């Protein structure tokens, strides 16, 4: 008995020592950035970071400046806040910083998907082929049909033109973009009404997963929530199984190409199901929330709404909706909307807040734009949070928290790309899509579908906030760092389809 207690005691000391000692013992070495381990062994600043990453990093930046190292749950992260010094990290020709390793661990945990070597290149080449150029034009056609189906509803349950409907704007936008995006990428069956019902069910479950997502990533779920996450994962693996998708018409070339590549590499069907879940997440988790913020900003800024509507009339001409027909819409118009482009860029600047992470594979020296050099230790992580260091920098974007619909327009109406900090032109003046090897490969499709949705909403519908005085809700603080943020609560609005003339 005494012996067992001794052994157990010893084991405990070893475990605690293993977990906490590296944190307690680590000291800042010459050339390393300021080190802030917080007060809690091993956890470091994890609690403050997870509670509100934006506010935490703001404090750290004020305390330590352009580069600092923080301990977060046993892992050291070097945050680089100077946008002029991002280049070497994003390009890293010396292969000392790695995006894939971190991403692989994350997708295994979150989607159950165990990535193959070369997946990242495969996804990017599928996207270059099918989410850009001619491939994108084809997909835009499909997206227009899907949006028409979802927004106008199938025969028998069509919206009553002239009749007002009420909904939460966030729910409305997310629901429509999700269903149209899912059907366009994962295909239809012969029964469109059934497809819509299935897409609705998928959305309901997707939102449950979405709400648990930030705390799941940070391993903060309670036992019941863990069970729920497991149930939801199984649900998605089943609903998106390759067995089902193969039976569908019009599976997008994008998904078909990627599944074909996985099959050729001998990836099992069960693993392909998980891959589909990951792609559903990547393709549908941000477009709905971004469209919500864009429409809300337009509803709160009548001068911006007027400018977007005027532009829509110019590029689309006089449009007429006919009963039981898809929205008439010239897709080429999407190429000629500088005002709406500026609205989208401004919305993404204000509300898209991804974290870019790279693992340090070998000791790495970052040469800052100032000429100063910092050493990052092998095994640590390098992180960029451009929302704070770029999007909210008042030097780059004066009055950074204000929505200015024409911030990205030159006086002559063309797209503005010249932004400066300390008198120097800045290359990365917004980074909603990430950058470098991990840049979002769906960004062109994302912009097309969101713009299409907004143009349909402002052209064919009357829209108003139920309470015009309602303020723009704050960002849910748990969502910083995960792509487009979400509001802490929904905003009620009403809409009606304008009667066919
Ligand atoms: C507003 C909408 C969107 C935003 C703000 C967004 C943003 C991002 C960001 C920040 C990343 C990760 C960058 C990083 O880790 O460094 C990413 C990755 C990705 N996105 Fe998007 N995205 C959007 C829409 C889409 C759409 C519509 C698709 C596909 C149809 C898509 C497909 C992907 C994929 C596959 C990845 C992973 C790429 C990789 O592994 O390298 N995204 N996105």
């Amino acid at each position: 008995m005494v012996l067992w207690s001794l052994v157990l005691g010893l084991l405990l000391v070893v475990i605690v020592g293993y977990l906490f000692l590296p944190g307690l013992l680590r000291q800042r070495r010459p050339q390393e950035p300021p080190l802030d381990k917080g007060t809690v062994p091993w956890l470091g600043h994890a609690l403050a970071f997870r509670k509100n990453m934006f506010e935490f990093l703001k404090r750290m930046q004020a305390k330590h400046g352009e580069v600092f190292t923080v301990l977060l749950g046993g892992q050291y992260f070097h945050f680089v806040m100077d946008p002029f010094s991002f280049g070497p990290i994003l390009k890293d020709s010396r292969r000392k910083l790695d995006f894939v390793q971190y991403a692989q661990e994350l997708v295994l945990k979150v989607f159950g998907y165990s990535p193959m070597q070369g997946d990242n290149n495969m996804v990017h080449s599928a996207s270059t082929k099918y989410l850009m150029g001619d491939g994108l034009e084809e997909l835009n056609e499909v997206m227009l049909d899907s949006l028409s189906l979802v927004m106008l509803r199938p025969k028998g349950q069509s919206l009553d033109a002239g009749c007002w409907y009420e909904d939460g704007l966030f729910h409305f936008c997310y629901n429509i973009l999700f269903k149209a995006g899912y059907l366009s990428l994962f295909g239809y069956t012969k029964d469109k009404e059934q497809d819509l019902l299935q897409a609705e069910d998928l959305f309901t479950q997707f939102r449950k997963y979405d709400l648990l997502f930030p705390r799941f990533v940070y391993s903060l779920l309670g036992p019941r929530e863990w069970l729920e996450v497991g149930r939801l994962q199984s649900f998605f693996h089943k609903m998106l199984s390759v067995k089902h998708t193969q039976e569908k018409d019009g599976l997008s070339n994008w998904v078909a190409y990627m599944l074909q590549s996985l099959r050729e590499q001998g990836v099992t069907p069960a693993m392909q199901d998980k891959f589909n879940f990951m792609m559903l997440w990547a393709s549908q988790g941000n477009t709905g929330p971004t469209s919500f913020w864009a429409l809300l900003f337009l509803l709160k800024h009548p001068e911006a709404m007027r400018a977007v509507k005027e532009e829509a009339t110019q590029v689309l001409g006089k449009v007429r909706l006919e009963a039981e027909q898809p929205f008439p819409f010239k897709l080429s118009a999407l190429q000629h909307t500088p005002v709406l482009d500026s609205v989208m860029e401004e919305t993404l600047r204000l509300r898209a807040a991804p974290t870019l992470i790279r693992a340090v594979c070998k000791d790495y020296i970052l040469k800052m734009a100032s000429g100063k050099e910092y050493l990052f230790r092998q095994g640590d992580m390098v992180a960029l949070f451009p929302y704070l260091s770029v999007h909210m920098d008042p030097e780059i974007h004066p009055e950074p928290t204000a929505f200015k619909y024409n911030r990205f327009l030159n006086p002559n109406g063309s797209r503005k790309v010249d932004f400066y900090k300390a008198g120097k032109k800045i290359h990365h003046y917004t980074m909603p899509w990430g950058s470098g090897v991990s840049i979002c490969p769906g960004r062109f499709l994302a912009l097309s579908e969101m713009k299409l949705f907004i143009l349909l909403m402002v052209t064919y519908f009357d829209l108003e906030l139920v309470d015009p005085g309602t303020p723009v809700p704050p960002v849910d603080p748990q969502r910083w760092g995960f792509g487009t943020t979400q509001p802490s609560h929904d905003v009620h609005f009403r809409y009606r389809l304008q009667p066919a003339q």
Side-chain angles (χ1 to χ4, degrees):
M1 184 67 187
V2 175
L3 184 70
W4 275 114
S5 309
L6 264 175
V7 171
L8 277 179
L10 206 65
L11 201 67
L12 207 67
V13 170
V14 170
I15 293 173
V16 170
Y18 176 77
L19 287 177
F20 294 134
L21 270 188
L24 291 176
L25 295 183
R26 178 156 165 157
Q27 297 295 326
R28 182 181 178 191
R29 291 184 192 150
Q31 251 201 317
E32 286 187 343
L35 173 64
D36 201 322
K37 296 190 280 185
T39 48
V40 191
W42 192 79
L43 276 179
H45 287 290
L47 297 180
F49 179 85
R50 289 166 188 178
K51 196 166 164 210
N52 191 329
M53 173 181 178
F54 176 55
E55 292 300 330
F56 168 74
L57 290 176
K58 232 171 28 181
R59 284 199 303 277
M60 287 291 129
Q61 187 183 26
K63 188 170 165 193
H64 299 297
E66 58 183 8
V67 191
F68 49 86
T69 308
V70 285
L71 174 63
L72 302 172
Q75 178 72 60
Y76 287 91
F77 284 81
H78 307 284
F79 278 90
V80 178
M81 310 303 283
D82 169 31
F84 288 120
S85 304
F86 288 177
I89 298 171
L90 297 170
K91 288 184 198 126
D92 180 42
S93 51
R94 286 164 293 166
R95 302 194 183 284
K96 289 188 174 176
L97 302 180
D98 181 32
F99 159 68
V100 175
Q101 178 200 328
Y102 173 79
Q104 284 186 342
E105 283 164 22
L106 189 68
V107 300
L108 181 60
K109 172 176 178 177
V110 177
F111 305 107
Y113 179 69
S114 181
M116 304 284 289
Q117 214 184 359
D119 268 5
N120 182 257
N121 289 342
M122 182 274 282
V123 169
H124 280 263
S125 61
S127 309
T128 308
K129 257 187 152 114
Y130 298 114
L131 303 183
M132 299 175 196
D134 292 346
L136 177 58
E137 279 184 27
E138 259 178 55
L139 207 44
N140 281 342
E141 302 268 358
V142 181
M143 194 62 77
L144 178 58
D145 284 345
S146 301
L147 281 170
S148 298
L149 177 71
V150 173
M151 292 167 78
L152 297 174
R153 306 186 192 165
K155 241 180 170 169
Q157 354 159 347
S158 316
L159 283 186
D160 259 342
C163 180
W164 285 102
Y165 296 86
E166 226 177 277
D167 202 345
L169 184 62
F170 181 73
H171 172 264
F172 178 87
C173 296
Y174 209 165
N175 181 279
I176 287 179
L177 267 292
F178 176 92
K179 290 191 294 192
Y182 158 69
L183 290 169
S184 301
L185 293 175
F186 289 87
Y188 287 90
T189 65
K190 302 259 176 296
D191 184 347
K192 295 237 171 3
E193 294 196 21
Q194 191 54 38
D195 288 342
L196 275 182
L197 286 176
Q198 197 227 33
E200 183 72 43
D201 186 25
L202 213 58
F203 175 70
T204 308
Q205 305 304 323
F206 188 86
R207 276 297 286 152
K208 289 184 187 163
Y209 197 75
D210 193 18
L211 287 167
L212 292 169
F213 187 81
R215 290 189 310 114
F216 179 33
V217 172
Y218 292 143
S219 304
L220 291 176
L221 298 181
R224 279 195 179 183
E225 292 170 320
W226 270 108
L227 288 178
E228 174 69 346
V229 159
R231 183 193 72 76
L232 288 166
Q233 286 180 329
S234 308
F235 168 84
F236 286 110
H237 298 157
K238 190 166 150 227
M239 295 293 275
L240 298 163
S241 71
V242 278
K243 192 169 141 264
H244 282 163
T245 30
Q246 268 156 5
E247 286 162 8
K248 291 193 172 175
D249 290 335
L251 177 67
S252 66
N253 289 331
W254 184 59
V255 174
Y257 176 99
M258 293 189 292
L259 290 178
Q260 171 77 19
S261 303
L262 295 185
R263 269 197 301 279
E264 281 167 10
Q265 290 184 76
V267 174
T268 61
M271 203 43 88
Q272 292 175 42
D273 301 346
K274 295 174 179 177
F275 178 85
N276 277 347
F277 177 32
M278 185 169 77
M279 286 303 130
L280 178 77
W281 182 263
S283 59
Q284 306 311 322
N286 292 296
T287 45
T290 307
S291 305
F292 154 77
W293 289 115
L295 262 189
L296 181 61
F297 287 135
L298 289 179
L299 284 165
K300 292 295 293 175
H301 295 84
E303 75 293 356
M305 181 65 101
R306 259 195 310 279
V308 167
K309 281 188 171 182
E310 264 169 36
E311 183 177 71
T313 314
Q314 267 171 30
V315 291
L316 295 173
K318 275 235 168 300
V319 286
R320 225 183 97 155
L321 187 62
E322 293 188 18
E324 285 166 25
Q325 292 298 313
F327 291 110
F329 191 96
K330 269 191 298 182
L331 282 164
S332 58
L334 293 174
Q335 313 300 325
H336 307 287
T337 55
V339 175
L340 182 55
D341 291 341
S342 175
V343 166
M344 296 315 295
E345 215 165 343
E346 176 69 337
T347 302
L348 287 163
R349 183 188 70 79
L350 282 166
R351 290 297 184 266
T355 323
L356 280 69
I357 294 184
R358 305 286 185 266
V360 184
C361 310
K362 285 188 197 146
D363 281 0
Y364 175 85
I365 292 194
L366 174 68
K367 188 160 185 196
M368 305 283 290
S370 61
K372 224 170 162 183
E373 294 191 342
Y374 288 103
L375 173 69
F376 297 159
R377 268 189 227 183
Q378 177 178 345
D380 293 348
M381 299 285 174
V382 182
L384 308 181
F385 186 54
Y387 182 78
L388 174 59
S389 50
V390 181
H391 296 199
M392 288 295 125
D393 183 333
E395 249 190 299
I396 308 172
H397 302 290
E399 293 178 68
T401 55
F403 173 82
K404 296 186 178 181
Y405 80 92
N406 52 2
R407 195 187 288 273
F408 295 90
L409 283 177
N410 286 315
N412 69 2
S414 60
R415 182 179 177 198
K416 181 173 173 186
V417 291
D418 298 329
F419 291 85
Y420 296 85
K421 181 175 166 69
K424 234 172 99 184
K425 190 162 183 252
I426 184 159
H427 179 61
H428 293 107
Y429 55 83
T430 63
M431 296 172 69
W433 315 104
S435 188
V437 281
S438 61
I439 192 163
C440 172
R443 59 199 183 282
F444 299 105
L445 171 66
L447 276 175
S448 293
E449 60 182 296
M450 295 187 299
K451 283 171 58 180
L452 186 52
F453 168 69
I454 287 169
L455 284 171
L456 294 175
M457 287 303 293
V458 303
T459 306
Y460 290 104
F461 291 83
D462 294 319
L463 315 170
E464 58 188 39
L465 292 172
V466 169
D467 170 10
T470 193
V472 172
V475 164
D476 173 354
Q478 285 189 41
R479 315 262 357 168
W480 296 118
F482 292 103
T484 301
T485 56
Q486 298 188 8
S488 55
H489 57 84
D490 210 340
V491 177
H492 284 277
F493 88 120
R494 59 173 81 92
Y495 61 98
R496 70 172 172 191
L497 188 61
Q498 289 162 7
Q501 291 135 12

